[in-house]
Structures are given as structure tokens and as C-alpha cells.
């Protein structure tokens, strides 16, 4: 069972930055995708960014790609999410997730948000104006 432990959440003002980290362990050979999701109160969980840990291919939600960057540190088995220019609407619990590549209509990739199967406990991000 893949284990995922998030860290780095906190409170910032509008325009600030945070870097979230997800420590990944006990992965299986088929677990090639690691992603960040978020869920705000009253909203559905949504995919933020994903990375294919074999190819380093990255995927972003369209409205976040200019401000958020996902990256992989192989040495420390950590997937990070750098969040810049934060806005109050970014306030949410952020979750790290892992899964296998899925058919997205064109190829096997990490962009099928509904197929992630292993989850961390979440870390809170609060952005105040």
C-alpha cells in the first residue's frame, strides 16, 4: 500500500507563496503517477497538478498552471507543489494522491483525476486577504 504524507501547509496573505511536500513510500512498479488535489468546504475535490514519476511529464488544471508548479525529487522520494501568488480562493485542504497511468482517450497518462487510489491525510492551506 502506497503511503503518502503531506507537509507544508499554513496560512498566508494574498500574493504569498507556499511549498507543499508529499513524502512517497511503499510504491509499486505500476504506481507512476503522483498528484495534488484540493478540496474547499462545500466543494468537490479537484485535481490541481500531477506528475508522471517515470517521464517527469506534468499536468495542471488549466486555471492554475501559471501559479503552481509540481516537481519530483527522486533522491528524497518527494513530490512538491510550489504555489505562488496565492488567492483566497486557493484556500482548501490539499491532498497528495498516487495511482497508475490510465487511458485518457489518447494515451495512458496521469491526467485521469478520478482514478487515483492512494491518498494522504491532507494539509490545510489558508489564504487571507
Amino acid at each position: 500500500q502506497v503511503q503518502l504524507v503531506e507537509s507544508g501547509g499554513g496560512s498566508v496573505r494574498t500574493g504569498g507563496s507556499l511549498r507543499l511536500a508529499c513524502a512517497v513510500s511503499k510504491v509499486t512498479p505500476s504506481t507512476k503517477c503522483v498528484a495534488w488535489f484540493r478540496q474547499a468546504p462545500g466543494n468537490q475535490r479537484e485535481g490541481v497538478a500531477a506528475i508522471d514519476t517515470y517521464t517527469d511529464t506534468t499536468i495542471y488544471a488549466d486555471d492554475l498552471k501559471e501559479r503552481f508548479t509540481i516537481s519530483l525529487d527522486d533522491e528524497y522520494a518527494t513530490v512538491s507543489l510550489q504555489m505562488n501568488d496565492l488567492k483566497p480562493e486557493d484556500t482548501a485542504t490539499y491532498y497528495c494522491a498516487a495511482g497508475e497511468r490510465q487511458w485518457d482517450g489518447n494515451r495512458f497518462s496521469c491526467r485521469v483525476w478520478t482514478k487515483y487510489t492512494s491518498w494522504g491525510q491532507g494539509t490545510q492551506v489558508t489564504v487571507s486577504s
Side-chain angles (χ1 to χ4, degrees), residues 101-119:
R101 292 173 183 156
Q102 301 290 333
W103 184 251
D104 67 10
N106 291 305
R107 62 183 64 83
F108 285 95
S109 77
C110 299
R111 65 176 64 250
V112 184
W113 302 114
T114 57
K115 297 295 187 181
Y116 283 79
T117 54
S118 299
W119 294 86

PDB file of all heavy atoms in Angstrom, residues 101-119:
ATOM      1  N   ARG A 101      -1.045   4.973 -14.392  1.00  0.00           N
ATOM      2  CA  ARG A 101      -1.460   5.643 -15.616  1.00  0.00           C
ATOM      3  C   ARG A 101      -2.794   5.050 -16.078  1.00  0.00           C
ATOM      4  O   ARG A 101      -3.024   3.862 -15.960  1.00  0.00           O
ATOM      5  CB  ARG A 101      -0.413   5.442 -16.714  1.00  0.00           C
ATOM      6  CG  ARG A 101       0.902   6.134 -16.476  1.00  0.00           C
ATOM      7  CD  ARG A 101       1.900   5.711 -17.532  1.00  0.00           C
ATOM      8  NE  ARG A 101       3.219   6.291 -17.331  1.00  0.00           N
ATOM      9  CZ  ARG A 101       4.335   5.747 -17.803  1.00  0.00           C
ATOM     10  NH1 ARG A 101       4.272   4.616 -18.491  1.00  0.00           N
ATOM     11  NH2 ARG A 101       5.500   6.335 -17.591  1.00  0.00           N
ATOM     12  N   GLN A 102      -3.639   5.909 -16.602  1.00  0.00           N
ATOM     13  CA  GLN A 102      -4.947   5.499 -17.098  1.00  0.00           C
ATOM     14  C   GLN A 102      -5.123   6.011 -18.529  1.00  0.00           C
ATOM     15  O   GLN A 102      -4.535   7.026 -18.904  1.00  0.00           O
ATOM     16  CB  GLN A 102      -6.055   6.054 -16.211  1.00  0.00           C
ATOM     17  CG  GLN A 102      -5.980   5.633 -14.755  1.00  0.00           C
ATOM     18  CD  GLN A 102      -6.299   4.162 -14.536  1.00  0.00           C
ATOM     19  OE1 GLN A 102      -7.034   3.551 -15.326  1.00  0.00           O
ATOM     20  NE2 GLN A 102      -5.766   3.575 -13.472  1.00  0.00           N
ATOM     21  N   TRP A 103      -5.972   5.334 -19.294  1.00  0.00           N
ATOM     22  CA  TRP A 103      -6.257   5.752 -20.663  1.00  0.00           C
ATOM     23  C   TRP A 103      -7.087   7.035 -20.625  1.00  0.00           C
ATOM     24  O   TRP A 103      -8.164   7.073 -20.017  1.00  0.00           O
ATOM     25  CB  TRP A 103      -7.009   4.651 -21.402  1.00  0.00           C
ATOM     26  CG  TRP A 103      -7.259   4.976 -22.843  1.00  0.00           C
ATOM     27  CD1 TRP A 103      -8.437   5.275 -23.441  1.00  0.00           C
ATOM     28  CD2 TRP A 103      -6.249   5.035 -23.866  1.00  0.00           C
ATOM     29  NE1 TRP A 103      -8.240   5.510 -24.780  1.00  0.00           N
ATOM     30  CE2 TRP A 103      -6.918   5.377 -25.067  1.00  0.00           C
ATOM     31  CE3 TRP A 103      -4.873   4.829 -23.888  1.00  0.00           C
ATOM     32  CZ2 TRP A 103      -6.232   5.510 -26.271  1.00  0.00           C
ATOM     33  CZ3 TRP A 103      -4.207   4.956 -25.083  1.00  0.00           C
ATOM     34  CH2 TRP A 103      -4.879   5.298 -26.259  1.00  0.00           C
ATOM     35  N   ASP A 104      -6.556   8.092 -21.257  1.00  0.00           N
ATOM     36  CA  ASP A 104      -7.256   9.381 -21.217  1.00  0.00           C
ATOM     37  C   ASP A 104      -7.968   9.718 -22.518  1.00  0.00           C
ATOM     38  O   ASP A 104      -8.417  10.838 -22.715  1.00  0.00           O
ATOM     39  CB  ASP A 104      -6.263  10.507 -20.852  1.00  0.00           C
ATOM     40  CG  ASP A 104      -5.221  10.747 -21.927  1.00  0.00           C
ATOM     41  OD1 ASP A 104      -5.342  10.208 -23.048  1.00  0.00           O
ATOM     42  OD2 ASP A 104      -4.250  11.488 -21.644  1.00  0.00           O
ATOM     43  N   GLY A 105      -8.069   8.748 -23.388  1.00  0.00           N
ATOM     44  CA  GLY A 105      -8.687   8.951 -24.688  1.00  0.00           C
ATOM     45  C   GLY A 105      -7.670   9.003 -25.809  1.00  0.00           C
ATOM     46  O   GLY A 105      -8.006   8.740 -26.969  1.00  0.00           O
ATOM     47  N   ASN A 106      -6.434   9.383 -25.433  1.00  0.00           N
ATOM     48  CA  ASN A 106      -5.367   9.458 -26.427  1.00  0.00           C
ATOM     49  C   ASN A 106      -4.170   8.584 -26.081  1.00  0.00           C
ATOM     50  O   ASN A 106      -3.494   8.060 -26.968  1.00  0.00           O
ATOM     51  CB  ASN A 106      -4.879  10.906 -26.573  1.00  0.00           C
ATOM     52  CG  ASN A 106      -5.924  11.789 -27.211  1.00  0.00           C
ATOM     53  OD1 ASN A 106      -6.422  11.503 -28.303  1.00  0.00           O
ATOM     54  ND2 ASN A 106      -6.268  12.858 -26.537  1.00  0.00           N
ATOM     55  N   ARG A 107      -3.922   8.455 -24.815  1.00  0.00           N
ATOM     56  CA  ARG A 107      -2.745   7.697 -24.345  1.00  0.00           C
ATOM     57  C   ARG A 107      -2.924   7.373 -22.883  1.00  0.00           C
ATOM     58  O   ARG A 107      -3.839   7.881 -22.223  1.00  0.00           O
ATOM     59  CB  ARG A 107      -1.487   8.541 -24.532  1.00  0.00           C
ATOM     60  CG  ARG A 107      -1.505   9.840 -23.708  1.00  0.00           C
ATOM     61  CD  ARG A 107      -0.270  10.679 -23.978  1.00  0.00           C
ATOM     62  NE  ARG A 107      -0.189  11.142 -25.334  1.00  0.00           N
ATOM     63  CZ  ARG A 107      -0.813  12.207 -25.800  1.00  0.00           C
ATOM     64  NH1 ARG A 107      -1.570  12.926 -25.001  1.00  0.00           N
ATOM     65  NH2 ARG A 107      -0.679  12.568 -27.063  1.00  0.00           N
ATOM     66  N   PHE A 108      -2.051   6.509 -22.383  1.00  0.00           N
ATOM     67  CA  PHE A 108      -2.009   6.255 -20.940  1.00  0.00           C
ATOM     68  C   PHE A 108      -1.247   7.407 -20.291  1.00  0.00           C
ATOM     69  O   PHE A 108      -0.115   7.711 -20.683  1.00  0.00           O
ATOM     70  CB  PHE A 108      -1.346   4.916 -20.641  1.00  0.00           C
ATOM     71  CG  PHE A 108      -2.242   3.745 -20.942  1.00  0.00           C
ATOM     72  CD1 PHE A 108      -2.173   3.091 -22.166  1.00  0.00           C
ATOM     73  CD2 PHE A 108      -3.172   3.313 -20.014  1.00  0.00           C
ATOM     74  CE1 PHE A 108      -3.007   2.028 -22.451  1.00  0.00           C
ATOM     75  CE2 PHE A 108      -4.015   2.251 -20.289  1.00  0.00           C
ATOM     76  CZ  PHE A 108      -3.940   1.610 -21.515  1.00  0.00           C
ATOM     77  N   SER A 109      -1.877   8.039 -19.310  1.00  0.00           N
ATOM     78  CA  SER A 109      -1.272   9.219 -18.707  1.00  0.00           C
ATOM     79  C   SER A 109      -1.740   9.367 -17.268  1.00  0.00           C
ATOM     80  O   SER A 109      -2.509   8.546 -16.756  1.00  0.00           O
ATOM     81  CB  SER A 109      -1.657  10.484 -19.494  1.00  0.00           C
ATOM     82  OG  SER A 109      -2.993  10.879 -19.199  1.00  0.00           O
ATOM     83  N   CYS A 110      -1.295  10.436 -16.644  1.00  0.00           N
ATOM     84  CA  CYS A 110      -1.655  10.714 -15.252  1.00  0.00           C
ATOM     85  C   CYS A 110      -2.767  11.751 -15.148  1.00  0.00           C
ATOM     86  O   CYS A 110      -3.026  12.252 -14.054  1.00  0.00           O
ATOM     87  CB  CYS A 110      -0.424  11.209 -14.496  1.00  0.00           C
ATOM     88  SG  CYS A 110       0.928  10.024 -14.445  1.00  0.00           S
ATOM     89  N   ARG A 111      -3.446  12.048 -16.270  1.00  0.00           N
ATOM     90  CA  ARG A 111      -4.397  13.150 -16.240  1.00  0.00           C
ATOM     91  C   ARG A 111      -5.831  12.738 -15.901  1.00  0.00           C
ATOM     92  O   ARG A 111      -6.727  13.581 -15.889  1.00  0.00           O
ATOM     93  CB  ARG A 111      -4.395  13.894 -17.574  1.00  0.00           C
ATOM     94  CG  ARG A 111      -4.885  13.096 -18.754  1.00  0.00           C
ATOM     95  CD  ARG A 111      -4.931  13.963 -20.022  1.00  0.00           C
ATOM     96  NE  ARG A 111      -3.609  14.416 -20.430  1.00  0.00           N
ATOM     97  CZ  ARG A 111      -3.204  15.673 -20.344  1.00  0.00           C
ATOM     98  NH1 ARG A 111      -3.999  16.579 -19.850  1.00  0.00           N
ATOM     99  NH2 ARG A 111      -2.005  16.028 -20.754  1.00  0.00           N
ATOM    100  N   VAL A 112      -6.059  11.433 -15.651  1.00  0.00           N
ATOM    101  CA  VAL A 112      -7.418  10.992 -15.320  1.00  0.00           C
ATOM    102  C   VAL A 112      -7.594  11.157 -13.817  1.00  0.00           C
ATOM    103  O   VAL A 112      -7.274  10.248 -13.026  1.00  0.00           O
ATOM    104  CB  VAL A 112      -7.661   9.541 -15.782  1.00  0.00           C
ATOM    105  CG1 VAL A 112      -9.115   9.155 -15.501  1.00  0.00           C
ATOM    106  CG2 VAL A 112      -7.360   9.402 -17.277  1.00  0.00           C
ATOM    107  N   TRP A 113      -8.116  12.262 -13.402  1.00  0.00           N
ATOM    108  CA  TRP A 113      -8.173  12.632 -11.988  1.00  0.00           C
ATOM    109  C   TRP A 113      -9.007  11.670 -11.147  1.00  0.00           C
ATOM    110  O   TRP A 113      -8.796  11.552  -9.936  1.00  0.00           O
ATOM    111  CB  TRP A 113      -8.733  14.043 -11.837  1.00  0.00           C
ATOM    112  CG  TRP A 113      -7.993  15.116 -12.539  1.00  0.00           C
ATOM    113  CD1 TRP A 113      -8.436  15.871 -13.588  1.00  0.00           C
ATOM    114  CD2 TRP A 113      -6.661  15.602 -12.262  1.00  0.00           C
ATOM    115  NE1 TRP A 113      -7.477  16.784 -13.965  1.00  0.00           N
ATOM    116  CE2 TRP A 113      -6.390  16.637 -13.162  1.00  0.00           C
ATOM    117  CE3 TRP A 113      -5.684  15.256 -11.321  1.00  0.00           C
ATOM    118  CZ2 TRP A 113      -5.186  17.331 -13.175  1.00  0.00           C
ATOM    119  CZ3 TRP A 113      -4.492  15.949 -11.325  1.00  0.00           C
ATOM    120  CH2 TRP A 113      -4.248  16.973 -12.251  1.00  0.00           C
ATOM    121  N   THR A 114      -9.938  11.003 -11.749  1.00  0.00           N
ATOM    122  CA  THR A 114     -10.867  10.174 -10.976  1.00  0.00           C
ATOM    123  C   THR A 114     -10.318   8.796 -10.634  1.00  0.00           C
ATOM    124  O   THR A 114     -10.980   8.027  -9.935  1.00  0.00           O
ATOM    125  CB  THR A 114     -12.184   9.988 -11.748  1.00  0.00           C
ATOM    126  OG1 THR A 114     -11.883   9.418 -13.024  1.00  0.00           O
ATOM    127  CG2 THR A 114     -12.908  11.304 -11.922  1.00  0.00           C
ATOM    128  N   LYS A 115      -9.102   8.485 -11.088  1.00  0.00           N
ATOM    129  CA  LYS A 115      -8.584   7.121 -10.929  1.00  0.00           C
ATOM    130  C   LYS A 115      -7.447   7.000  -9.927  1.00  0.00           C
ATOM    131  O   LYS A 115      -6.793   5.974  -9.854  1.00  0.00           O
ATOM    132  CB  LYS A 115      -8.129   6.583 -12.292  1.00  0.00           C
ATOM    133  CG  LYS A 115      -9.259   6.457 -13.306  1.00  0.00           C
ATOM    134  CD  LYS A 115     -10.281   5.432 -12.870  1.00  0.00           C
ATOM    135  CE  LYS A 115     -11.307   5.191 -13.966  1.00  0.00           C
ATOM    136  NZ  LYS A 115     -12.329   4.208 -13.543  1.00  0.00           N
ATOM    137  N   TYR A 116      -7.213   8.032  -9.149  1.00  0.00           N
ATOM    138  CA  TYR A 116      -6.171   7.944  -8.131  1.00  0.00           C
ATOM    139  C   TYR A 116      -6.691   7.134  -6.943  1.00  0.00           C
ATOM    140  O   TYR A 116      -7.833   7.340  -6.500  1.00  0.00           O
ATOM    141  CB  TYR A 116      -5.716   9.338  -7.707  1.00  0.00           C
ATOM    142  CG  TYR A 116      -4.803   9.943  -8.728  1.00  0.00           C
ATOM    143  CD1 TYR A 116      -5.316  10.517  -9.890  1.00  0.00           C
ATOM    144  CD2 TYR A 116      -3.423   9.907  -8.569  1.00  0.00           C
ATOM    145  CE1 TYR A 116      -4.472  11.042 -10.860  1.00  0.00           C
ATOM    146  CE2 TYR A 116      -2.573  10.435  -9.520  1.00  0.00           C
ATOM    147  CZ  TYR A 116      -3.100  10.988 -10.665  1.00  0.00           C
ATOM    148  OH  TYR A 116      -2.272  11.501 -11.612  1.00  0.00           O
ATOM    149  N   THR A 117      -5.862   6.241  -6.418  1.00  0.00           N
ATOM    150  CA  THR A 117      -6.362   5.259  -5.463  1.00  0.00           C
ATOM    151  C   THR A 117      -5.731   5.330  -4.075  1.00  0.00           C
ATOM    152  O   THR A 117      -6.269   4.754  -3.131  1.00  0.00           O
ATOM    153  CB  THR A 117      -6.136   3.843  -6.016  1.00  0.00           C
ATOM    154  OG1 THR A 117      -4.736   3.693  -6.349  1.00  0.00           O
ATOM    155  CG2 THR A 117      -6.988   3.594  -7.263  1.00  0.00           C
ATOM    156  N   SER A 118      -4.598   5.981  -3.941  1.00  0.00           N
ATOM    157  CA  SER A 118      -3.943   6.099  -2.638  1.00  0.00           C
ATOM    158  C   SER A 118      -3.903   7.572  -2.262  1.00  0.00           C
ATOM    159  O   SER A 118      -3.567   8.410  -3.104  1.00  0.00           O
ATOM    160  CB  SER A 118      -2.516   5.537  -2.702  1.00  0.00           C
ATOM    161  OG  SER A 118      -2.542   4.165  -3.039  1.00  0.00           O
ATOM    162  N   TRP A 119      -4.176   7.854  -0.995  1.00  0.00           N
ATOM    163  CA  TRP A 119      -4.336   9.248  -0.576  1.00  0.00           C
ATOM    164  C   TRP A 119      -3.596   9.505   0.731  1.00  0.00           C
ATOM    165  O   TRP A 119      -3.538   8.643   1.625  1.00  0.00           O
ATOM    166  CB  TRP A 119      -5.825   9.559  -0.373  1.00  0.00           C
ATOM    167  CG  TRP A 119      -6.594   9.494  -1.647  1.00  0.00           C
ATOM    168  CD1 TRP A 119      -7.148   8.391  -2.221  1.00  0.00           C
ATOM    169  CD2 TRP A 119      -6.852  10.574  -2.536  1.00  0.00           C
ATOM    170  NE1 TRP A 119      -7.740   8.717  -3.413  1.00  0.00           N
ATOM    171  CE2 TRP A 119      -7.590  10.054  -3.632  1.00  0.00           C
ATOM    172  CE3 TRP A 119      -6.552  11.940  -2.527  1.00  0.00           C
ATOM    173  CZ2 TRP A 119      -8.013  10.852  -4.692  1.00  0.00           C
ATOM    174  CZ3 TRP A 119      -6.985  12.726  -3.586  1.00  0.00           C
ATOM    175  CH2 TRP A 119      -7.707  12.183  -4.654  1.00  0.00           C
TER     176      TRP A 119
END
